[in-house]
Amino acid sequence: AQSVAQPEDQVNVAEGNPLTVKCTYSVSGNPYLFWYVQYPNRGLQFLLKYITGDNLVKGSYGFEAEFNKSQTSFHLKKPSALVSDSALYFCAVRGQVLDDKIIFGKGTRLHILP
Amino acid sequence: DVKVTQSSRYLVKRTGEKVFLECVQDMDHENMFWYRQDPGLGLRLIYFSYDVKMKEKGDIPEGYSVSREKKERFSLILESASTNQTSMYLCASSLVLADLLSGNTGELFFGEGSRLTVL
């Protein structure tokens, strides 16, 4: 069965410091992996995805994510955090079978401290 | 850009009322989904639809039904609202998963959400 784990409910980072939001997954076969961001009282916005190829994926707002097949991880990163990055972040995975559904993690709240 | 529109951002209803949540997408997507989001529980899939007049149960369908009479519209129905259905409801749509060459990985496009309070 597919699953996604975001081990941290909350991450606090000082503005200007690098940030990492962790995600591990379990899926049969090769995965498609996604990160979404949610600002207060808004829907989820797509940030980036991993399909195949380069393990480092670049996305919106300066975010990137590193795919590690051996560790089944897909951590979200940014070299220098902004206060405006404060939001709820969701990792998601799906398999490459046609009827596989996207499975979401429980979310990690990121607080960027001024 | 894909746009998914949820008709009501905030609703307050009373226990036992029938509630309709409407969702419309403008990108001719085949797939549509309804999720509910609760603190600490993440997103849970209620129902989804792969085509007009088709529906499939998700992980928590109890107390809900759906309707998809047109490709662009997917409605969530609470036949008799209860207080434990107070939540944020998120509609999403996606293309049918195609091959890697197309770049389509079936990612979801979300509406802004409908926050429902049942008193």
Side-chain angles (χ1 to χ4, degrees), chain A residues 73-87:
Chain A
S73 67
F74 189 56
H75 299 333
L76 182 70
K77 302 183 179 189
K78 188 173 182 180
S80 179
L82 299 173
V83 172
S84 57
D85 293 330
S86 298

Side-chain angles (χ1 to χ4, degrees), chain B residues 30-93:
Chain B
E30 292 84 2
N31 302 337
M32 297 189 75
F33 306 81
W34 276 106
Y35 291 86
R36 67 176 281 177
Q37 181 183 9
D38 301 287
L41 297 178
L43 274 69
R44 293 182 290 168
L45 182 62
I46 304 172
Y47 268 97
F48 58 102
S49 169
Y50 287 148
D51 202 350
V52 176
K53 296 193 184 295
M54 292 184 65
K55 59 184 178 184
E56 298 283 344
K57 292 180 179 179
D59 300 317
I60 52 162
E62 297 77 19
Y64 304 94
S65 62
V66 291
S67 172
R68 193 162 181 202
E69 296 295 319
K70 294 184 178 181
K71 189 175 185 179
E72 68 270 19
R73 186 181 298 271
F74 193 37
S75 303
L76 180 69
I77 303 156
L78 287 66
E79 293 288 343
S80 178
S82 63
T83 54
N84 63 10
Q85 292 178 310
T86 292
S87 187
M88 170 73 105
Y89 290 88
L90 294 167
C91 176
S93 70

Side-chain angles (χ1 to χ4, degrees), chain A residues 32 36 38 41-42 49, chain B residues 9 37 97 100 103 108 112:
Chain A
Y32 293 140
Y36 288 82
Q38 185 181 35
N41 295 313
R42 305 294 297 275
K49 66 182 177 183
Chain B
R9 292 294 310 278
Q37 181 183 9
L97 181 66
L100 287 178
L108 300 177
E112 291 291 287

Side-chain angles (χ1 to χ4, degrees), chain A residues 45-99:
Chain A
Q45 296 177 34
F46 171 76
L47 268 182
L48 51 80
K49 66 182 177 183
Y50 171 81
I51 305 174
T52 187
D54 289 342
N55 290 340
L56 189 64
V57 178
K58 294 189 183 298
S60 306
Y61 311 121
F63 283 94
E64 57 191 26
E66 186 170 12
F67 171 64
N68 187 316
K69 187 171 184 177
S70 63
Q71 296 186 5
T72 62
S73 67
F74 189 56
H75 299 333
L76 182 70
K77 302 183 179 189
K78 188 173 182 180
S80 179
L82 299 173
V83 172
S84 57
D85 293 330
S86 298
L88 187 57
Y89 290 81
F90 289 94
C91 180
V93 67
R94 66 168 298 167
Q96 295 185 11
V97 177
L98 273 178
D99 59 354

